[in-house]
């Protein structure tokens, strides 16, 4: 399997190759996520609560869900509702900052004004690093119709593939090619 971090560290991958692989990975992730969701739903409907299925690749077990439970999402709003609805004994009055002082710029000024001291109850949230976005990514069906993209996907997954000239037939499932490897075994993306 090609180790992407090593290829990048060794300077053996260009930005366009990295972009192409990122778009391919994004398409693969979408397909895998869709497949995972459907398979989970199917197995949830077909397994008994105490049943598990052991396969060569792993064990799938039924996981019992839980009932919905109430939880407090906004304590201040909940306290105000309680007070308005005759539940005064269930609330207590506390100091609460006025809205303007909770703004990031106002907190930054407070920290500066107080010698860099971080106020209680305030945290510095993690920033975000620069990144890239992928868009107009081909659907998995389009990737699978493109032999070059198929080979790249296989390489990303560490699947050895025979040379392009060894394609022998279509398998009748959406014209996906079947190739023979050096031992004569069929290779098909349907098996992944």
């Amino acid at each position: 399997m090609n180790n992407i971090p090593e290829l990048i560290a060794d300077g053996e991958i260009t930005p366009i190759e990295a972009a192409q692989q990122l778009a391919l990975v994004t398409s693969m992730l979408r397909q895998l996520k869709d497949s995972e969701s459907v398979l989970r739903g199917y197995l949830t409907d077909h397994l008994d609560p105490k049943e598990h299925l052991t396969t060569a690749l792993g064990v799938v077990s039924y996981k019992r869900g839980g009932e919905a439970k109430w939880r407090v999402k906004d304590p201040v709003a909940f306290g105000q509702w309680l007070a308005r609805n005759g539940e005064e004994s269930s609330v207590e009055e506390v100091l609460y900052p006025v809205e303007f002082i909770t703004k990031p710029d106002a907190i930054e000024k407070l920290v500066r004004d107080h010698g860099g001291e971080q106020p209680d109850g305030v945290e510095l949230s993690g920033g975000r690093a620069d990144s890239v976005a992928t868009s107009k990514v081909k659907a998995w069906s389009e990737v699978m119709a493109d032999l070059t993209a198929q080979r790249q996907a296989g390489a990303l997954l560490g699947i050895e593939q025979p040379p392009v000239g060894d394609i022998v037939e279509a398998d009748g499932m959406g014209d996906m090619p079947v190739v023979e490897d050096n031992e004569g075994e069929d290779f098909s993306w349907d098996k992944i």
Side-chain angles (χ1 to χ4, degrees):
M1 176 173 185
N2 293 338
N3 186 319
I4 300 292
E6 287 179 12
L7 290 174
I8 290 172
D10 294 342
E12 295 181 26
I13 189 169
T14 66
I16 190 69
E17 290 168 335
Q20 186 171 0
Q21 289 188 14
L22 179 59
L24 180 61
V25 166
T26 302
S27 181
M28 292 166 68
L29 287 171
R30 286 180 187 162
Q31 177 64 29
L32 291 172
K33 184 178 177 183
D34 290 347
S35 296
E36 178 190 32
S37 177
V38 171
L39 290 168
R40 281 185 188 281
Y42 174 80
L43 287 168
T44 300
D45 292 343
H46 287 83
L47 288 179
D48 290 327
K50 294 183 180 180
E51 187 176 9
H52 67 273
L53 300 176
T54 302
T55 72
L57 299 175
V59 177
V60 176
S61 304
Y62 188 93
K63 184 175 179 183
R64 190 176 299 275
E67 292 185 25
K69 297 179 184 176
W70 291 106
R71 68 178 180 87
V72 176
K73 183 177 178 182
D74 183 344
V76 173
F78 184 47
Q80 291 170 348
W81 183 91
L82 289 168
R84 282 193 317 270
N85 288 280
E87 300 291 336
E88 294 85 5
S89 64
S90 299
V91 297
E92 59 186 4
E93 193 170 323
V94 296
L95 294 176
Y96 192 79
V98 293
E99 186 177 342
F100 84 88
I101 201 68
T102 63
K103 304 284 186 208
D105 290 342
I107 296 171
E108 179 69 30
K109 183 179 180 325
L110 280 174
V111 170
R112 279 194 317 269
D113 290 351
H114 291 272
E117 179 183 349
Q118 179 176 335
D120 293 342
V122 172
E123 66 181 8
L124 184 61
S125 65
R128 290 185 311 208
D130 292 348
S131 185
V132 295
T134 55
S135 61
K136 300 180 183 176
V137 174
K138 287 184 177 182
W140 188 246
S141 58
E142 293 178 70
V143 170
M144 289 295 90
D146 181 339
L147 290 178
T148 301
Q150 281 187 35
R151 297 183 69 72
Q152 290 171 342
L156 282 170
L157 293 170
I159 299 170
E160 286 190 34
Q161 299 175 31
V164 175
D166 289 349
I167 297 172
V168 293
E169 62 183 66
D171 68 359
M173 300 190 70
D175 296 319
M176 293 178 66
V178 173
V179 294
E180 291 184 4
D181 64 18
N182 295 338
E183 289 81 37
E185 293 181 26
D186 284 345
F187 170 83
S188 173
W189 281 97
D190 293 342
K191 296 179 182 178
I192 295 178

